Amino acid sequence: MKKNQIITRIAPSPSGNLHIGTARSALFNYLFARQNNGKFIIRIEDTDKQRSKKEFEDDILEGLKWLGLDNDNLYRQSERTDVYKKYIEKLLKNGKAYLSKEESKIETGKQVEVVRLKNPNRKVEFDDIIRGKIEFDTTELGDFVIAKTINDPLYHLAVVVDDYEMEISHIIRGEDHISNTPRQILIQEALEIDRPKYAHIPLILAPNRSKMSKRGNATSISEYRQKGYISDALINYIALLGWNPGTNNELFAMNKLVEEFNLENIQKGGAIFDIEKLNWFNREYIKKMSEEEIFKNIKQNLPENILNMSEYNDKILKKIIPIIKERINIWSDILKITKEGDLDYYFKQPKYETKNLLWKTDTDLNIVAKNLLKIINFLENISDNKFNSDEIKKSIWDFAEKEGRGSVLWPMRYALSGKDKSPDPFKLTEALEKKETISRLHNAINKIA
Ligand code: GLU
C-alpha cells in the first residue's frame, strides 16, 4: 500500500437513478482526490440483487460522465464475491464471527445459516473531519449479521473489505451513513485493518427543510439533464450545497473548484436546495457561452414545428438570439416560450383580428392604415447596412411622437407579431429585416381595406 496517497470513492447502489445527493458526494470525492493528485474510484454496490438494476447503473455512470467526474477505476461488488468470501472465512477462523442457524426472516419455517459478527460490546469513537468526535455505544447493535451465507455478504462487510482492498484513504459520504460507521469500524477491528478517515457531509434538504422528495424538486441528475441544464452550471451549484470557498465568489469552473475546495469548509447543517439559485447559475453559464454555441443549443432545442415553418431560416434565428437569451434560464424554456406563441411569428406571418390593430384609445382603422403606410416609407429610406433597431427607431420616432406613440407603434408591432406582448417594434423589425417587415405591414393595410 502506497502510504499517503489520497484515494476516494463514490459507492452508489444501483437501485435508482443518479441522485443529486450522490452526485454531490461524488463531486466532493472527485475534487478532493484531484487536488491531492490522488485517485477517484467508482464502486457500484450491487450486492442487493433484488433492488439492483442494470438500467440504474447505466444512468449513474452516464450521469457522472456527463458531469465530468471521470474516474480512475470502476468496480462492481457483484463481481467480487470471492474477495469477500476470503475475509468472511478469516473472521470465522479467528473466532471474530460465527455461523448461526436461525429461522429465515423472509420465508417462515425455513432454516438459514447466517454469519454474525461477535460484537465486543464497547464504545466506538471516531474523528469525523467535518463533525468532530463521534461516539457510539455498540452494545445495542448486538451480534449483527454480516453475510447471508459465506458467498453472500451484506452491505457493511462488503464496504469495509472494498475500502480496504481499494486503499481508500478518505470516506466522504452523506451524513445518513454516520450510523453505519460504528458497525463498519467493528468489522475493521475484527479484521485488524486500518481505519480510513471519515468526512460525513450534510444532507441536501428541500426548501421546507424536509428530505428532497420526488414530488418537489427533481432529485435525479438525468431529469436536470433532460430539462436542459448545463453540466458545468449544475456542478458549480451543487459544489456550493454545503461547501463555501470562504469568499463571496460563486462562479467556479471545475478546475477552480479543484484548486479551492477543502473539506474543512464544509458546513455541518443541512444544505437547502434552491432551484431559483440553480437557474441563476445556469443563466450565468449561458451568458458565458460563445454566440455560436448558444446558437447551436437554441437550434437543437427548437421544436420541429418551428424548424419546419416555411420561413424558418438560421439567419433570423441568429438575429433573435438576444431576445431568446433574455427569456430563458435553461434550454427547455425555449419550448415554453414557443408554446406561449412567442417564437413562431418570427418565422411565419401572424394571424390576428384586424380590429386588434387599433390602439386602446383609437377607433379609426383608416388612420391605422395611413400610419402603417408612412412607416413603410420611413423603412424604405433606411439603407440596408443601417437597418438596425436604433436607426429604425430614429427614423420613425418623430412621427410617432407627433401622431401619438400608441397610435403608431402599437399597430406596427401588432402587424409584425400578432401578439399583445412582444419585443418592441424596432427590435422586431430588425430581426424580420426590411422585406419581411414591409410585407407584413402591407398585409395589415390590405386587411383593413
Ligand atoms: N452504497 C451506499 C449508498 O448508495 C453508499 C455506501 C458508502 O458510501 O459507504 O448509499
Side-chain angles (χ1 to χ4, degrees), residues 9 11-13 45 155 159 173 177:
R9 47 57 160 197
S13 307
E45 303 211 317
Y155 163 66
V159 164
R173 60 184 177 187
H177 286 292

Side-chain angles (χ1 to χ4, degrees), residues 200-243:
H200 285 95
I201 59 183
L203 298 183
I204 301 176
L205 303 175
N208 64 2
R209 304 198 70 89
S210 67
K211 254 183 114 173
M212 282 278 281
S213 78
K214 282 264 180 315
R215 265 159 289 143
N217 290 310
T219 53
S220 69
I221 294 300
S222 43
E223 281 171 85
Y224 288 98
R225 189 176 176 181
Q226 273 155 24
K227 284 189 178 153
Y229 283 89
I230 298 166
S231 61
D232 290 346
L234 197 52
I235 281 287
N236 194 155
Y237 178 65
I238 64 178
L240 297 170
L241 281 176
W243 173 77

